[in-house]
Each structure stands twice: as C-alpha cells, then as structure tokens.
Amino acid sequence: MDTALNSADEQRVGGEATILQRIIAVGVTLFTLYVALTLQFNSYQQLGTFLLLTLVYLFVKFPLREEISYDVLPSDSYYDWIDRALIALSVVSYGYLIVFSQQVIEQAGTATPTEIVLGIFAIIVVVEATRRTIGWAIPILAVFSLLYLFIGPLFPGVFRHSGYSLEQMATQIYVSSQGLFSFPLSVMFDYVFVFVLFGALLEISGGGKMFLDLAKVLFGKVTGGPAKLTVFASGSMGMISGSAVANALTTGAFTIPTMKDQGYERNFAAGVESAASAGGQLLPPVMGAAIFIMMDITAIDYVTIIERALVPGLLTFFCVYMVVHFQSVKMNLVGLPDEMIPDRRSVISRLYYFVPLVILVYLLYTGMSVRRSIVYSLAILLFITFIPKDARLYDPRSESDTLMSNSLVDGIELACKRAAPIIVAATCIGIVLGVIGLTGLGLAISSVVMDLAGTHLMMALLVTMVLCIIFGMATDTVTVYILLAILVAPSLVRIGLPELTAHLFIFYFGMMAMVTPPVCIAAYAASTIAESHPLKTGFWAWKLSLGAFLLPFAFVYDERLLLIGSADGIAIAILTTSIGFVALAAAIVGHIYTGISRIERGMLVGSALLLIHPSLTLNAVGLLVGLVGGYRQIRSRLKDEHLRSTPAKSD
C-alpha cells in the first residue's frame, strides 16, 4: 500500500494527533491540580492516573517510527499496532491498580498471578517510554537491575544474593510502594510537574521576554553586553524552567543570534548560553525543581537549603561573568546598539512577573507545603496576566481562543512536553530502586565506594564526581540526583560529610554533566541554534563552567562558603574565592588588558587554586602568585591610565 499522503490528509492526521496531545496534557494538569488541592485519592489512584496519562501522552507524542515527523504522521504509522498495543498495555496494567487499588492495599505483600503478568506489562511500557524520550542509558540500567534479581547468585562477593522469583519481583516493583510507585514518581507528581507548569506558563505569558528585556536594560550597554545579558537572562530562566536543555533552546533562540550579530564567535556564543542555562538550576531561591526533591530526601527545611546554596550559586555565575568579560575585552566587543535596548519604563511596567516568584519564596519560607505553595503561586500568575490585555493566557471573550489556539493550553502542553520524559525516567529509576531495596544492592555499592575511598574524603569525592558526570550525561539532572542521592550520598555521610553538603556536591556534578564533553546535551542543544560545532561548543561551555567544577570541592573543605561560621570568616572566604575566580577566568581566556603568556596563565591557575583553599596562609601565597602572574597586566593598565590623564603637549 502506498503510504504517502496528500497535504490535506497530512494536516488532518497531524491535527488529530495534536488535538489528542493537548487534550491529554490538559487532563494531566487538571488532575494534578485537583489532587493537590483536595487529596481525595490514595497513592495508587493518584500516581497510577498521573503515570497512565503521561504514558499515553508520550506514545501519542513520540510514535515508534523515528523517521516520521512528530507533527505530520502518515496514518499507517500513527496507528501502528505497536503503539496501539503499548497504549492498551498501559491502560490495562495501570488501570488495574487504579480500579482495584483498595484490594491491592489490603493484600499487601503478595502479587497474584494476574498481577505478575500486569506487572511485566507495566515495566515494559515504562522502559519503552523512557527509551523513546531520554535514550538507552536508563532503560538499560533498569533492565540490568531486573536481570540481577535472577542472576544474582552468579555474582561474586558483596554483590551475590540467593535469587528472587517473578512473584517477588512483581510484588516489589508493581504492587508495592518500593518500585514503580516509589519516591521518584511521587516527587514528580507532588513537586516537579506543577513547578514545570509554573515555569512554562510564566514563559508563555511574557515572563521570559521580560527577563530578557530586563537583562538588556541592565547589561546591554556595558562591555560584552550581549553575552552578559545572556548570563543574566538564561540564568534567571534556568532557575525557573528546571531544564537546562529547554532553557538553552528557548532563551538561546534570542541570545545566541544577538551575540553572533555583535561579533562573538558562534562556538563561544552557544557555550555561554549552555553554561548559563545549566548554572541556573544551581541558583537560589528556586534552583529548578531540585530544591523540593532535596527537601524531601533530606528532611531539611527550605530556608536552610537556600542559605547553604546561595554563595556557591552566586560564585558560579560570577566566574561565568568574568570569563565573558575578559573574552569581550579580548575581542574588543562593546554593548548593544541603542535601538536594541528596550524602553526602561516598559520594562519597569512588567516587573509584576516577579510577584509570583516572590510569593512562592515567601510561602515556602513560612513553612507551607511545597505543592500548595506552587499551586497558589500559579494561581497568582494566572491572575496577574490579566493586567495587560496582550499578556492574557486565556480571554473568555475572545472567539479565537480555542483548544488549538490558546496561550493557556500552549503553556500546559509545553509543560507536559518538558515534564513527561522526566516523569517516565524517574519511574524507570524507581525500578532500579526497587531492586536495590529487595536485594540490598545499595549497601553493596556503598561498601565498594568505601573500599575505593578508604577513609580518604578526597578519593570518595572524586569517585562520586565521576559517577555523577557519567550518569548525568545519559539523563536529566533531577533523575541522576535522585539516583545518586540514594546510592552514593549515604557513603559520603558515613565518611563524615554533613548530609546537605553531600547532596549539594552530588547535585552540582549532576548538573555539570550537562556541559561536560563529549556528551554535553545542553551544549548540543545550543549548538543547533548557533549552527556551531557541538564539541567545540561543549568545550567552551565546560571552560565557562570551571568555577562550578571547583566549588563543590571548595565548600566541602570550607564550610564558610555555605554560610557556616563567623561573619568575618565567611566574608574572607567569599572574597578570596572571588579573587581566585577572577584569576581563573583570566587564565581561561588568556587575556586581561593584553595577552597573557603560558607561564602567566599557569601562575594564575595556581593562584586561583590557592585562593580557593581554606588556609589563610595559602590564600596569601595565592594572592602573591596572582600579583606576580598579573604584574605585566597591572603595569600595562597603569601606563594606559597615566597616558590618558596626562595632557598632550602642544607644539
């Protein structure tokens, strides 16, 4: 049969697919918000419905045949029997838990023969949905974990166990709260989805443009204005969006062309966008969705976490800012032309977009639950968008507002598109955690980490860093944080690291995987806009983020950077680290006022490392080394200042 469709058929089928996606997206959103406000369902009903709708959305959004466009689908591909079968298996396996949830709760501890079969179906659809949206790494890990249940008796040493049956597997993974319905899916439902929805609606309503315009007003006219406004705008939106890749693609659509037009090399322009987008999730007071998950895992309150994360987050962006500054000076690039700077009054009149963010932080500060804080802030966002007519997400008086042409629905579908892959990946991680809980694999992994590190904290940190980057290259930062927070963080705590410090260390390096070659997916996303070389972009993003690579080690060994200690001690630590990052940025670029030799760059790198060290003696040595390394730059600057201040002699 000829599979080609004429344009009318393509539009019809593509339109049907899009309508169904939007209906499901609205359904997921309404259900999540309803449960958040009423709490009228048990965990199987609420998590089962949430996951079922997400799976159907993904199988509709991402059909099996990759060569077919996601928006214009030939009918014989869209209605392919494999996709229909997967949707049917999703409905049957998770619908069973929704309908018979009370029965499952009452018989807790044993899976029936029917539940064993349905459990296998439930695992298959989650693994396949994750493979389609995230890639192979997490599904392979989940499948290997399941195989480990049965081949564990063949393993040596601490990894050996007596073996488990299909009944035990189904009981642990399917009908208990230790597998598919464990902590990762729960936090996706409780926090992550509503937060991603908040960020998407803020962006769609005009908040994203406001951040960009504010950045232009603040940094547009300074040296390197286009790149510096990227640092501010992408960092701000990255803090809210919760996705480095999504942020690089959205804010990058404006910032990267602007940087290229003003003379920045395309690899550097995409690298700046990648580094700022990734770093945004490290920045309080929001930190993407990670801060809410960290609160849940550690049982540490919101205020304490943002206090500890504040200085490292700001120093991360300070280092990126200084690299951008020195590169701009090196290329003799100035600010934006006047016609690209928005009117200040226009920007000030749109600062109301900060209100929902301020309300969110205030509600969390007062101790309100995370879910309700986000929902109330979301309601305030929807309300304030009615202030200007052109920002309204929904206007009931407008005849043009339909399901297919409506900003509110656009924002809802954008949220589902961003959140759904993370939801199924987290559920897939739940399979891994279920196996770990059943077999005691977590203790075995902790034992191996302890054996590798011994009592040496630095060795344990290096092992953890490598694990974070490897896992982070294959999936999103939220998922890798959940996995390693459960697997590795206890080992670091056992060695003597404070719990929150261990979790911040893991989260930092999970995020740095976004900009670490060769698999630096945030840089790859930005390079598609810049039309740059992905690896060259990745290396620039990595160099721009070097400060964030050093900071986790710095705050592990110097708790003053986490605002712990006396005020004068904290001030000294922040000052010396800031000076160290200036030296590091100069060494990365190879320029301050003039070019820097290799020897001088080496001295500046050494100075940076010494200044970041907690020892005041080494800080003093580092400052001296930095002054020697930068002596020629200082002399050149003083000479230029002298020439400018000396009037020219007349003939």
Side-chain angles (χ1 to χ4, degrees), residues 372-420:
R372 284 187 174 270
S373 297
I374 299 174
V375 170
Y376 291 157
S377 301
L378 184 60
I380 292 168
L381 170 63
L382 293 174
F383 173 76
I384 66 170
T385 59
F386 275 81
I387 296 174
K389 187 175 181 180
D390 59 355
R392 293 176 180 175
L393 289 171
Y394 174 68
D395 190 344
R397 297 168 298 180
S398 173
E399 295 181 0
S400 62
D401 264 347
T402 65
L403 182 66
M404 296 302 296
S405 177
N406 180 281
S407 296
L408 180 59
V409 180
D410 289 343
I412 289 172
E413 189 181 3
L414 178 62
C416 283
K417 182 180 177 181
R418 290 177 177 176

Side-chain angles (χ1 to χ4, degrees), residues 55 85 93 116 126 128 132 147 216 231 233 238 241 264 294 355 358 393 482 501 523 532 537 552 566 603 615 644:
L55 287 167
S93 58
I116 293 173
V126 165
E128 171 59 13
R132 291 191 188 187
L147 288 175
K216 291 179 189 177
V231 175
S241 71
Y264 286 96
M294 201 175 293
V355 172
V358 173
L393 289 171
I482 292 172
T501 305
S532 60
T537 297
S566 62
M603 294 180 72
S615 168
R644 278 198 290 266

Side-chain angles (χ1 to χ4, degrees), residues 109-153:
T110 305
T112 65
T114 299
E115 290 167 349
I116 293 173
V117 175
L118 293 177
I120 294 173
F121 291 162
I123 291 170
I124 289 172
V125 294
V126 165
V127 169
E128 171 59 13
T130 306
R131 183 199 65 78
R132 291 191 188 187
T133 55
I134 296 292
W136 284 96
I138 297 299
I140 289 174
L141 181 63
V143 171
F144 179 80
S145 298
L146 292 170
L147 288 175
Y148 177 69
L149 288 174
F150 308 107
I151 64 175

Side-chain angles (χ1 to χ4, degrees), residues 214-386:
L214 179 61
K216 291 179 189 177
V217 170
L218 294 175
F219 301 103
K221 299 301 293 182
V222 302
T223 299
K228 289 176 180 175
L229 76 86
T230 299
V231 175
F232 178 85
S234 298
S236 300
M237 283 305 297
M239 174 179 64
I240 300 165
S241 71
S243 170
V245 174
N247 192 53
L249 291 172
T250 50
T251 59
F254 168 80
T255 59
I256 291 173
T258 302
M259 285 188 281
K260 288 170 62 181
D261 290 344
Q262 299 304 310
Y264 286 96
E265 191 265 333
R266 62 185 62 207
N267 293 312
F268 177 78
V272 172
E273 176 60 48
S274 307
S277 295
Q281 292 184 69
L282 305 174
L283 191 62
V286 184
M287 297 174 66
I291 189 170
F292 310 127
I293 300 171
M294 201 175 293
M295 289 168 59
D296 205 305
I297 294 176
T298 63
I300 297 174
D301 65 276
Y302 171 79
V303 175
T304 301
I305 294 177
I306 62 169
E307 284 179 354
R308 300 291 179 263
L310 178 61
V311 171
L314 293 175
L315 287 173
T316 294
F317 276 88
F318 176 72
C319 188
V320 175
Y321 183 92
M322 292 309 303
V323 174
V324 165
H325 176 76
F326 289 135
Q327 182 70 14
S328 302
V329 172
K330 181 180 180 179
M331 300 177 69
N332 196 29
L333 295 174
V334 293
L336 293 170
D338 290 338
E339 58 269 19
M340 293 189 68
I341 305 296
D343 179 65
R344 289 177 180 270
R345 288 173 296 181
S346 170
V347 175
I348 292 172
S349 69
R350 288 178 285 150
L351 291 180
Y352 56 79
Y353 281 108
F354 279 106
V355 172
L357 292 172
V358 173
I359 294 295
L360 173 61
V361 172
Y362 172 76
L363 293 177
L364 291 169
Y365 182 82
T366 59
M368 181 177 287
S369 72
V370 174
R371 186 194 290 183
R372 284 187 174 270
S373 297
I374 299 174
V375 170
Y376 291 157
S377 301
L378 184 60
I380 292 168
L381 170 63
L382 293 174
F383 173 76
I384 66 170
T385 59
F386 275 81

